[in-house]
Amino acid sequence: MTIQPDVPMRQRVEEYISNLQDEIVSALEKLDPNAPPFKRDSWLRAQGGRGQSCVFAVPAPPPGVAPQETVLEKGGVNISVVHGMLPPPAIKQMRADHSSIPDIQSSVPFFAAGISLVIHPRNPHAPTVHANYRYFEITQPATEEEQAAGKPGKLIAWWFGGGCDLTPSYLYEEDAQHFHRTIKDACDPHGAAVYPAFKKWCDEYFFIPHRGEARGIGGIFFDDLSDEPHKRFAADGSDARPKTPEEIFAFVKAAGDAFVPSYVPILERRIRTPSTEHERRWQLLRRGRYVEFNLIYDRGTKFGLMTPGARIESILMSLPETARWEYMSELGTDPESREGKLIEVLKTPREWV
């Protein structure tokens, strides 16, 4: 592990997510060289910061012309690096989920950097995937000396969060095993307690209460990961997990680097699987569930929509281009059907590795 003690963590995270974005977009573009490239859209935030949205979509064809067949139907790989002042109401809201934040009664500077991606393939047999890795810090206002040196104020609180999860329309056990095994292999060098704790958290987080089922077949999910005690690990600190800033950043990079090998081989296996209109209909119904979770329950989406100066187009990038809702649909109700077998796993999460 290369340690850069003289380089601020915020700068190292920014460099890492920028490089990871390039790597992921390049890997996806190589899958379908005849498709339109990802649109690279750089932007500036008036309140402070920047970002780049890399979005895939097929332009609507002229009337009477068939749309271009592509591996992906819609996708986005976005990064944002933002800073500004965090007002007390926002601090109070964040304290509910982040135990490392003290009770602060005045606005304080914040910094946040992250990468977020969602890929919706066209083929019903190819799963949707989501990943997100982020770093957040709150500081005291910078002193005159710190301002003159271009440095932020003293750290008040910091943490990493993120994860990745797979959402198939049709269950292929070998795909689920490959995805989870690749992630577990990335987690294990950073502590034996990491994958089991974050896999369980993922199963709990990506759950749709009003449907009584999970959004997908999981992966890992974590938040508020810092050098403070963590509610997902033993209170006495005996669990093997990353604890220092260097250790946690190394873990986050390992998880981020595992995205391409965890997902792209699955996509390569499924993109040419023959499919039917029946399977497309089921895929669109499952995408409806995806929309329900993201707009009703996802903390990141809700926080983004409430943030002043938020870039709405980038926040809603996660939604599929097309989805479907049916009144009392019969699809998925037969436990012996392929659709029913997926529902069984969504209602009762499984250990894949």
Side-chain angles (χ1 to χ4, degrees):
M1 178 172 59
T2 302
I3 298 177
Q4 301 171 284
D6 296 330
V7 181
M9 183 60 75
R10 54 172 64 187
Q11 179 181 332
R12 295 160 62 188
V13 172
E14 180 175 357
E15 292 172 356
Y16 173 68
I17 61 175
S18 297
N19 292 333
L20 182 61
Q21 181 187 42
D22 289 340
E23 176 190 338
I24 292 171
V25 171
S26 295
L28 293 170
E29 287 181 332
K30 287 177 183 176
L31 274 177
D32 195 1
N34 295 322
F38 277 67
K39 177 183 178 181
R40 290 157 171 82
D41 179 22
S42 297
W43 50 270
L44 295 174
R45 179 175 179 265
Q47 293 86 348
R50 67 169 189 92
Q52 179 173 252
S53 298
C54 294
V55 178
F56 179 88
V58 179
V65 178
Q68 181 181 357
E69 285 295 319
T70 53
V71 169
L72 304 184
E73 188 166 358
K74 186 184 176 189
V77 185
N78 297 348
I79 63 168
S80 63
V81 182
V82 299
H83 55 86
M85 298 299 290
L86 200 65
I91 297 171
K92 181 178 180 180
Q93 180 184 353
M94 296 183 78
R95 288 188 73 229
D97 298 313
H98 301 282
S99 59
S100 57
I101 301 178
D103 188 7
I104 302 171
Q105 301 301 321
S106 60
S107 296
V108 291
F110 80 92
F111 172 88
I115 181 170
S116 180
L117 68 91
V118 177
I119 304 298
H120 295 289
R122 192 173 298 277
N123 193 304
H125 297 274
T128 287
V129 72
H130 158 261
N132 172 280
Y133 295 101
R134 57 194 178 274
Y135 172 70
F136 195 96
E137 66 180 37
I138 299 172
T139 68
Q140 294 178 355
T143 63
E144 291 184 4
E145 292 79 6
E146 289 168 335
Q147 288 178 343
K151 295 181 178 180
K154 182 180 178 181
L155 266 179
I156 296 174
W158 62 271
W159 69 84
F160 284 90
C164 58
D165 60 286
L166 197 68
T167 305
S169 298
Y170 286 94
L171 180 65
Y172 290 89
E173 294 205 5
E174 60 269 34
D175 292 353
Q177 291 164 357
H178 169 84
F179 186 77
H180 278 268
R181 183 178 297 111
T182 306
I183 296 168
K184 184 176 184 297
D185 288 346
C187 292
D188 283 352
H190 302 275
V194 172
Y195 173 79
F198 294 167
K199 193 270 184 189
K200 183 175 185 293
W201 201 351
C202 187
D203 289 337
E204 294 168 358
Y205 180 79
F206 290 105
F207 186 77
I208 309 172
H210 66 271
R211 297 289 189 180
E213 63 190 40
R215 187 177 77 175
I217 60 168
I220 59 170
F221 176 87
F222 63 96
D223 207 355
D224 203 23
L225 193 59
S226 69
D227 52 5
E228 299 286 329
H230 197 283
K231 61 185 178 183
R232 292 281 167 166
F233 298 106
D236 62 4
S238 60
D239 280 344
R241 60 99 167 181
K243 296 175 183 175
T244 68
E246 293 296 339
E247 291 172 349
I248 296 172
F249 186 40
F251 158 66
V252 169
K253 289 191 293 183
D257 292 346
F259 174 77
V260 169
S262 72
Y263 180 64
V264 171
I266 296 174
L267 205 51
E268 291 174 324
R269 279 201 295 267
R270 304 301 168 201
I271 54 180
R272 293 175 181 84
T273 302
S275 62
T276 65
E277 286 299 316
H278 170 91
E279 290 165 340
R280 172 65 170 172
R281 177 184 160 208
W282 175 244
Q283 179 193 42
L284 296 183
L285 286 171
R286 294 313 310 168
R287 286 185 177 172
R289 299 290 202 271
Y290 205 91
V291 171
E292 290 174 25
F293 176 85
N294 281 30
L295 294 184
I296 299 173
Y297 300 112
D298 185 65
R299 291 205 314 245
T301 301
K302 292 195 292 184
F303 182 79
L305 293 175
M306 291 188 295
T307 300
R311 199 165 191 270
I312 303 302
E313 293 295 326
S314 296
I315 295 169
L316 297 181
M317 170 275 301
S318 64
L319 301 181
E321 184 174 85
T322 311
R324 183 181 180 94
W325 285 264
E326 294 180 8
Y327 181 74
M328 302 293 286
S329 177
E330 80 284 2
L331 291 186
T333 58
D334 178 3
E336 297 304 315
S337 67
R338 292 204 64 191
E339 295 82 10
K341 292 184 184 302
L342 174 72
I343 293 296
E344 178 186 357
V345 170
L346 299 182
K347 289 184 177 293
T348 309
R350 193 184 300 181
E351 297 298 326
W352 296 105
V353 292

